[in-house]
Amino acid sequence: MDFSYVYTKQRKDFGKQCNFFDRPADILVDIVPDKNLTENFISMKYVDTGIQCANEMSEHELNTERYETRNQGMNHTEGGWPRDINPDELEQVMRFRKKVEKDETYINSMLQLGALMEHCIKQNNAINIYEEYFEEEISEEHEEIPSAKNVNIFRDPEPAQRTATYLSWSPEGRNKLAVAYAILEFQGAPGVTVNNSYIWDLDNPNQPFLTLKPSASLLCVEYCPKDQNLLVSGCYNGQLALWDIRKGSTPVEVSPIENSHRDPVYSALWLHSKTNTDCFSASTDGRIMWWDIRKLNEPTENLVLHFSKNQPPRLDKAFGACCLEYEATMPTKFMVGTEQGSVLLCNRKAKSPVEKLTAVYNAHLGPVYTLQRNPFFPKNFLTIGDWTARIWSEDIRESSILSTRYFDQALTVGCWSPCRPSVFFVTKSSGYLDVWDILYKQIDPTLSIKVADEALSSIGVHEEGQLVACGSEKGAVSLLKLSIALSNMNKNDKALMTSLLDRESRREKIIEARNREFRLKEKMKNSVAGEHEDVKVEETQEDDLIKQAEKDFYNFINSVSKQREETEENIHND
């Protein structure tokens, strides 16, 4: 059975009939401005507003051609006091003012300019109620997720693929970045090579700020910490070059080839001195050389990295130096990372070559690519080589106090953060940048970001800690900006890092003492093997010492864990 319903509606309920035709625009509502209300507002003469609600008219995207800009100076002159009037002389100034005020045009000019100046002053003093005046103020309770974003990329202008071997930021917060470029595979170099390196300006990334034109490719370049115009660099042919950017692209001084290194100079650093003219360099030829930039004809001092009590230092048996470390607060000490995987702690002021070697740390299975002291804790230093990154204490020589796991990819370089004592950076041959915060977690990196498709070869962190530059094997330098969580130091970071390093150092000392006891035990067994009764007594004593050491170790671990829990509770309560 079918049902049907009929809905009825009167004509008047449909509304007015729509008739479509062309006709001129009609003013429906006209709101006349109220003059009384306009007196409460200040009209702004110039308004710059950004609009982001434009419709997308196409689904296709295309990169425009690079537009290169350059800085060009211009003359600027402005009015002032007449030449015959000295503004420092009060009497001359007063007489000149009285003379000008008596002029008839003076009053008319002031009346005409007064209204305009009053409007500008009111406009500058007006408050924008929609503006955020406290964007930089961050709440301590706010926890931001660690992150990083790519800001810019500086590409090698030369067509040949060269490696960005070294990065150095200009001191005193300048936005200049010096990059050394070289072809490390000597046999794969093209017939005609270009040895230029560049200084980039972050404000103008389209073209280099200055081109450095050496006689051989640069492997390292370092800004002088006291003078932003001076740079020292190590060349592929073993020479040391000095640059003054005020004098152009060519080096000011170059060491003669007969008095320089015999291998490429992989590291050159400035020394802390009264004249700020001292530096030293290291090479894989096994020598450390000290220089005075005022006279680079010959080194002021030379050290062969071969230490033997029975024979003089031999260059053919010396350690090959890969990197240097120098701390200004320790003017007589310096550290050397070698090709053999060892780290040498040396004292420059010692009398004999043997006494100059203070300690040896067996750091890695291969060359030590990075060696850097913690800027907040100089007795702790970072080493990077083979597949691990390690943190060492200067007092413990047998093993590192902290170490990362062995990665599948080789680690290339790394460095500490200049703003946070617990953060350090590591680059990999797979093109990844790992950011570690050992207060956050110690098993895996806090942040791992893909920077390039090829291996990363160099890294440099700006002194403010938020900008990180990473150089690759193909010459591209990527500029990354870190989040506030990785660049701003919290009030408890230094105290927590101090307790962490002290705890790990004590643990390693206990383990080192235990290993020494085991070695002593084996030595005693071999030396008095025939005296069974004496051996049993000594073994019993040694076993008691080992048990006591184990007991002390576990008691110390329990006490430290309790202190840490109490500290975390106090911080949480605060």
Side-chain angles (χ1 to χ4, degrees):
M1 185 178 180
D2 296 334
F3 294 94
S4 63
Y5 297 92
V6 179
Y7 296 91
T8 58
K9 194 174 185 180
Q10 294 182 6
R11 178 64 187 84
K12 64 178 181 179
D13 296 333
F14 282 97
K16 188 178 181 180
Q17 182 181 1
C18 296
N19 295 323
F20 299 98
F21 56 91
D22 295 334
R23 67 174 184 178
D26 295 336
I27 299 176
L28 300 178
V29 178
D30 186 9
I31 302 176
V32 181
D34 189 355
K35 295 183 179 180
N36 296 327
L37 295 177
T38 56
E39 297 178 357
N40 299 330
F41 296 91
I42 299 174
S43 60
M44 299 189 70
K45 200 168 185 180
Y46 305 102
V47 179
D48 186 6
T49 305
I51 300 175
Q52 298 181 355
C53 58
N55 295 328
E56 295 183 1
M57 306 302 293
S58 175
E59 296 181 356
H60 300 280
E61 296 179 359
L62 179 66
N63 290 330
T64 58
E65 295 182 0
R66 175 176 289 186
Y67 178 74
E68 295 186 359
T69 60
R70 63 178 181 178
N71 298 326
Q72 186 173 358
M74 61 179 296
N75 294 326
H76 174 70
T77 58
E78 60 181 14
W81 296 96
R83 292 184 178 180
D84 56 343
I85 293 181
N86 186 6
D88 296 331
E89 294 290 337
L90 183 60
E91 294 182 0
Q92 296 182 11
V93 172
M94 294 297 295
R95 284 198 300 266
F96 179 76
R97 285 181 175 175
K98 291 180 180 179
K99 180 181 177 181
V100 172
E101 291 174 358
K102 291 180 180 178
D103 193 357
E104 296 179 356
T105 60
Y106 173 76
I107 298 176
N108 296 330
S109 300
M110 292 301 296
L111 292 176
Q112 292 177 1
L113 296 175
L116 179 62
M117 290 299 299
E118 184 179 0
H119 174 75
C120 294
I121 293 173
K122 289 182 178 181
Q123 181 175 318
N124 292 334
N125 294 332
I127 299 176
N128 185 1
I129 61 175
Y130 299 104
E131 183 178 355
E132 293 289 342
Y133 291 94
F134 304 99
E135 291 181 351
E136 299 178 356
E137 296 293 332
I138 301 171
S139 177
E140 297 180 357
E141 299 178 356
H142 178 68
E143 294 182 0
E144 186 178 357
I145 299 175
S147 61
K149 62 179 180 180
N150 199 331
V151 178
N152 212 331
I153 296 179
F154 306 94
R155 301 189 184 276
D156 185 6
E158 301 301 330
Q161 288 187 356
R162 303 186 299 170
T163 303
T165 57
Y166 202 91
L167 305 177
S168 178
W169 286 93
S170 176
E172 299 178 1
R174 302 286 180 176
N175 293 331
K176 303 291 191 302
L177 178 65
V179 185
Y181 296 92
I183 299 177
L184 300 180
E185 296 180 359
F186 183 75
Q187 295 179 352
V192 179
T193 59
V194 179
N195 301 324
N196 294 342
S197 294
Y198 303 98
I199 298 177
W200 297 90
D201 188 352
L202 302 189
D203 298 330
N204 185 16
N206 296 325
Q207 61 181 1
F209 172 75
L210 181 67
T211 302
L212 305 179
K213 299 179 180 180
S215 57
S217 299
L218 301 184
L219 292 182
C220 62
V221 58
E222 191 72 31
Y223 268 101
C224 178
K226 300 296 182 181
D227 190 349
Q228 60 182 354
N229 298 313
L230 298 179
L231 297 96
V232 65
S233 58
C235 301
Y236 197 90
N237 59 357
Q239 290 180 302
L240 198 75
L242 176 68
W243 309 84
D244 190 342
I245 62 177
R246 295 168 295 187
K247 298 183 179 180
S249 300
T250 57
V252 179
E253 292 284 344
V254 179
S255 63
I257 193 70
E258 61 273 9
N259 294 333
S260 303
H261 292 278
R262 297 295 179 263
D263 283 352
V265 180
Y266 285 97
S267 183
L269 296 177
W270 293 87
L271 292 171
H272 179 70
S273 60
K274 295 181 179 179
T275 58
N276 295 322
T277 58
D278 296 332
C279 61
F280 69 127
S281 59
S283 172
T284 51
D285 63 351
R287 292 185 297 175
I288 306 294
M289 291 184 176
W290 285 266
W291 306 84
D292 190 342
I293 62 174
R294 296 172 295 184
K295 186 179 180 182
L296 288 179
N297 295 332
E298 59 180 358
T300 58
E301 191 176 344
N302 197 334
L303 175 64
V304 178
L305 297 177
H306 176 243
F307 309 95
S308 177
K309 296 181 180 179
N310 302 324
Q311 57 182 353
R314 295 179 55 181
L315 193 60
D316 57 342
K317 293 186 177 181
F319 290 97
C322 296
C323 53
L324 290 173
E325 168 57 31
Y326 175 76
E327 174 60 35
T329 58
M330 306 175 183
T332 61
K333 289 184 179 182
F334 66 95
M335 303 182 77
V336 184
T338 64
E339 285 184 312
Q340 292 75 15
S342 302
V343 175
L344 309 179
L345 177 61
C346 304
N347 186 4
R348 183 185 176 188
K349 297 300 182 181
K351 296 181 180 179
S352 63
V354 179
E355 294 177 353
K356 289 184 178 181
L357 180 61
T358 307
V360 178
Y361 306 88
N362 296 321
H364 297 279
L365 302 176
V368 180
Y369 298 115
T370 294
L371 173 62
Q372 186 182 14
R373 292 183 183 269
N374 191 307
F376 297 89
F377 305 95
K379 285 194 173 183
N380 299 100
F381 56 93
L382 171 70
T383 62
I384 291 178
D386 51 60
W387 302 273
T388 59
R390 301 177 184 271
I391 299 176
W392 298 76
S393 176
E394 193 176 299
D395 301 331
I396 301 172
R397 304 177 184 179
E398 291 190 358
S399 62
S400 59
I401 60 175
L402 290 171
S403 176
T404 64
R405 57 183 173 86
Y406 281 84
F407 292 96
D408 297 335
Q409 306 88 15
L411 305 185
T412 53
V413 290
C415 63
W416 287 101
S417 170
C419 296
R420 290 199 59 190
S422 61
V423 174
F424 64 92
F425 307 89
V426 177
T427 60
K428 296 180 179 179
S429 59
S430 59
Y432 276 86
L433 170 65
D434 290 346
V435 184
W436 290 78
D437 187 354
I438 55 179
L439 291 180
Y440 185 71
K441 56 181 177 179
Q442 303 174 6
I443 299 176
D444 296 319
T446 306
L447 176 65
S448 183
I449 183 173
K450 180 77 170 179
V451 178
D453 295 331
E454 62 274 7
L456 299 179
S457 57
S458 56
I459 188 172
V461 185
H462 194 265
E463 62 180 6
E464 295 178 359
Q466 198 168 12
L467 295 178
V468 180
C470 298
S472 68
E473 287 186 348
K474 293 186 179 180
V477 178
S478 300
L479 186 64
L480 304 175
K481 186 176 182 180
L482 302 178
S483 62
I484 298 175
L486 296 174
S487 57
N488 285 10
M489 185 171 64
N490 299 325
K491 61 179 181 180
N492 298 322
D493 280 357
K494 199 168 184 179
L496 294 175
M497 189 65 179
T498 303
S499 62
L500 174 64
L501 294 176
D502 291 343
R503 182 192 68 196
E504 297 299 327
S505 299
R506 291 178 184 177
R507 181 178 65 85
E508 290 298 329
K509 286 181 180 179
I510 293 173
I511 295 175
E512 185 177 350
R514 186 178 180 184
N515 292 335
R516 194 182 300 113
E517 292 291 339
F518 276 116
R519 290 195 297 267
L520 180 62
K521 180 179 178 180
E522 293 294 332
K523 184 178 180 180
M524 295 297 292
K525 282 183 179 180
N526 296 330
S527 61
V528 291
E531 301 176 2
H532 299 289
E533 294 181 358
D534 296 338
V535 170
K536 289 181 180 180
V537 173
E538 292 175 358
E539 287 180 353
T540 304
Q541 294 177 353
E542 291 171 3
D543 291 338
D544 294 339
L545 291 174
I546 293 172
K547 292 180 179 178
Q548 184 64 31
E550 291 178 350
K551 184 178 179 181
D552 295 339
F553 172 75
Y554 289 116
N555 291 335
F556 171 74
I557 293 298
N558 293 330
S559 62
V560 169
S561 62
K562 290 180 180 179
Q563 291 179 0
R564 186 175 182 180
E565 292 177 357
E566 292 177 356
T567 305
E568 291 178 352
E569 290 180 359
N570 294 332
I571 294 173
H572 181 70
N573 293 330
D574 294 338

